[in-house]
């Protein structure tokens, strides 16, 4: 900070956490390059005590406590995979550089030292912390929740033709039902839910969102008018708006940084899987009901039997209710040391300043994402109906073809 030197080598037990206290002051250069054995020393006669400490440490690793502590203090690069007695060394030092506030980032050298030679076979390798069982279960739950959300939002396209027929809708009304009704609250409530996820119990927010949008999905199947269906679709969008902010916050708290990219990828895969499940599974169910003599006999026996597309919405609401119950049963992941606190200040004004200062990155990324989503959602909304109109396929067959 006093500009007496540009950089140096420092043990990673101090610099990573210091970087979270003073963002932008330090810049790490590369991966840890040195290693040293560190541990607890015991007298040779104290083997019972040594073994008791060893067993306790193994337990901390097994239940994920060790991973959480390491992540809190930003020491993932120095974490060990397993407890050991007289074990191998782990990396404990890295090169860092002080960044002057008035120095452009692109003008900074990547390194002020010669590159380190490759590690030999007998030298210690960087230790990547393993993901805990709780972390894997969390990723699975969030991915399934994302899949269910896409199932619930995609069913309108799957059953587009019978829905239009049931309510005598024009293409414009159907477009409003599929798009505006869902998107309005989904977009408006994303930021408030993100604010809430930074301050409240995230598993309760997730469970509440799952239960709410699942109930609204069932209401879509029970609606007897365009207006009620429209309101129910708004409710689906409102409930699903909480999922991504809460999921990103929970993954950031529970997953080591080395596994974050893969975990986010698995979470986002739920969107594709859910959309495909809605088109293929929902289309198959509609096609079966359209050609099943058993379903026709049941409908003839019971006066006022529900239409096939209504059954589809009610059935699709069940997985979300089950996942909501599971979300309530899991533990709230401990927040990381850098997590914002309600009293930290800043809020939307600080976020707006950050966006303005990085406009060249955010504007193009946002525009590209908007174009991609527009193309994907337009195809998902209208392709099943296009196949029905152009080639005379039934709703179920056209949905399965698109899926």
């Amino acid at each position: 900070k006093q500009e007496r030197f540009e950089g140096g080598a420092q043990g990673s037990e101090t610099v990573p956490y210091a970087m979270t206290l003073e963002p932008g002051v330090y810049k790490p250069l590369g991966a840890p390059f040195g290693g040293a054995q560190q541990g607890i020393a015991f007298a040779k006669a104290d083997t019972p005590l040594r073994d008791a400490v060893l067993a306790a440490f193994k337990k901390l690793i097994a239940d994920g406590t060790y991973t959480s502590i390491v992540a809190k203090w930003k020491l993932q690069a120095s974490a060990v995979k397993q407890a050991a007695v007289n074990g191998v060394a782990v990396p404990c030092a890295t090169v860092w550089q002080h960044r002057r506030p008035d120095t452009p980032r692109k003008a900074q050298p990547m390194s002020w030292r010669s590159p380190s030679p490759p590690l030999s076979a007998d030298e210690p390798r960087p230790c990547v912390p393993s993901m805990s069982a709780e972390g894997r279960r969390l990723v699975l739950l969030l991915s399934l929740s994302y899949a269910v959300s896409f199932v619930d939002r995609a069913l309108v396209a799957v059953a587009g033709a019978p829905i239009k027929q049931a309510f005598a809708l024009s293409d414009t009304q159907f477009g409003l039902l599929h798009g505006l009704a869902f998107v309005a609250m989904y977009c408006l409530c994303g930021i408030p839910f993100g604010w809430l996820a930074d301050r409240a119990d995230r598993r309760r927010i997730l469970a509440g969102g799952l239960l709410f949008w699942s109930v609204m999905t069932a209401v879509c199947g029970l609606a007897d008018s365009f207006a009620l269906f429209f309101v129910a679709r708004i409710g689906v969008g409102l409930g699903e708006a909480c999922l991504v902010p809460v999921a990103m916050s929970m993954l950031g708290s529970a997953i080591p940084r080395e596994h974050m990219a893969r975990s986010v990828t698995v979470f986002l895969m739920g969107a594709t899987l859910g959309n495909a499940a809605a088109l293929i599974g929902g289309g198959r169910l509609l096609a079966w009901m359209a050609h099943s003599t058993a379903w026709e006999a049941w409908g003839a026996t019971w006066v006022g039997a529900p239409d096939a597309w209504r059954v589809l919405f009610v059935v699709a609401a069940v997985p979300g209710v089950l996942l909501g119950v599971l979300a309530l049963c899991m533990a709230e992941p401990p927040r990381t040391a850098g997590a914002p606190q309600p009293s930290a200040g800043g809020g939307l004004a600080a976020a707006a300043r950050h966006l303005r200062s990085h406009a060249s990155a955010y504007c193009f990324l946002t525009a590209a994402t908007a174009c991609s989503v527009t193309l994907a959602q337009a195809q998902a909304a209208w392709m099943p109906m296009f196949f029905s109109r152009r080639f005379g396929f039934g709703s179920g067959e056209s949905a399965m073809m698109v899926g």
Side-chain angles (χ1 to χ4, degrees):
K1 294 180 182 179
Q2 297 174 354
E3 300 185 359
R4 291 184 294 175
F5 53 86
E6 291 293 324
Q10 178 67 39
S12 61
E13 72 275 7
T14 56
V15 169
Y17 183 65
M19 291 174 63
T20 67
L21 300 179
E22 300 179 277
V25 175
Y26 302 100
K27 176 185 178 183
L29 300 179
F33 65 90
Q37 292 182 337
Q38 297 179 356
I40 304 175
F42 297 93
K44 291 184 177 180
D46 287 339
T47 52
L49 176 61
R50 182 201 66 190
D51 293 341
V53 173
L54 181 63
F57 185 52
K58 289 182 177 179
K59 183 178 180 181
L60 291 177
I61 294 178
D63 64 12
T65 303
Y66 174 76
T67 301
S68 299
I69 295 174
V70 166
K72 176 181 178 181
W73 300 104
K74 310 299 181 184
L75 298 175
Q76 293 93 331
S78 299
V80 296
K81 292 184 178 180
Q82 59 185 4
V85 177
N86 299 325
V88 297
V90 294
C92 64
T94 186
V95 173
W96 57 271
Q97 179 184 32
H98 176 260
R99 185 173 67 84
R100 296 179 182 177
D102 57 345
T103 303
R105 290 183 181 270
K106 64 181 180 181
Q108 296 175 2
M110 290 304 295
S111 177
W112 47 267
R113 62 180 179 87
S114 300
S116 299
L119 295 175
S120 61
D122 57 347
E123 287 183 302
R125 258 58 176 179
C127 229
V128 178
S130 59
M131 191 186 304
S132 65
E134 290 81 359
R136 288 191 291 270
R137 286 193 292 267
L138 174 64
V139 173
L140 178 60
L141 175 66
L142 293 175
S143 183
L144 291 176
S145 300
Y146 207 30
V148 168
S149 74
F150 267 78
V151 169
D152 293 347
R153 74 177 69 176
L155 289 182
V156 173
V158 173
I163 290 175
K164 285 192 63 179
Q165 182 179 2
F167 299 118
L169 303 181
S170 64
D171 284 348
T172 300
Q173 288 175 309
F174 178 77
L176 294 174
L177 196 64
H178 187 281
L180 180 63
F182 175 86
V183 170
M185 297 303 293
Y186 187 85
C187 293
L188 291 176
C189 295
I191 293 177
F193 274 125
W195 179 91
L196 188 62
D198 287 335
R199 292 157 174 81
D201 189 327
R202 292 163 292 185
R203 64 190 182 92
R204 293 182 180 274
I205 301 173
L206 175 61
L210 278 161
L211 294 173
F212 183 77
W213 91 58
S214 298
V215 171
M216 290 295 102
T217 300
V219 173
C220 289
L222 302 175
D224 59 357
S225 66
F226 170 74
L228 181 56
F229 203 127
F230 192 92
V231 172
R233 282 287 289 176
I234 292 176
V236 174
L238 173 61
E240 292 190 12
C242 75
L243 178 56
V244 173
V246 169
M248 292 295 111
S249 177
M250 297 180 83
L251 290 175
S253 296
I255 306 301
R257 188 176 65 176
E258 292 79 2
H259 298 280
M260 179 59 69
R262 183 170 56 181
S263 299
V264 172
T265 300
V266 173
F267 166 67
L268 295 178
M269 279 174 53
T272 303
L273 295 176
N275 195 54
L279 290 167
I280 299 174
R284 184 70 186 88
L285 184 58
L286 281 180
W288 177 82
M289 291 181 178
H291 301 95
S292 173
T293 56
W295 178 258
E296 291 180 1
W298 189 85
T301 303
W302 298 93
V303 178
D307 296 329
W309 68 268
R310 296 183 183 274
V311 176
L312 187 63
F313 278 89
V314 175
V315 170
V318 176
V321 174
L322 297 178
L323 289 174
V325 175
L326 289 177
L328 285 175
C329 295
M330 72 178 184
E332 168 76 358
R335 297 183 186 273
T336 57
Q341 301 298 322
S343 59
L348 292 178
R353 288 194 297 270
H354 176 80
L355 291 175
R356 285 196 299 269
S357 63
H358 299 82
S360 60
Y362 282 106
C363 287
F364 288 107
L365 182 61
T366 301
T369 303
C371 292
S372 175
V373 171
T374 299
L375 178 62
Q377 294 300 319
Q379 289 182 336
W382 294 102
M383 283 300 288
M385 197 171 299
F386 168 77
F387 279 108
S388 296
R389 291 178 176 178
R390 181 67 177 82
F391 302 104
F393 292 115
S395 298
E397 288 82 359
S398 61
M400 286 190 289
M401 185 174 298
V402 175

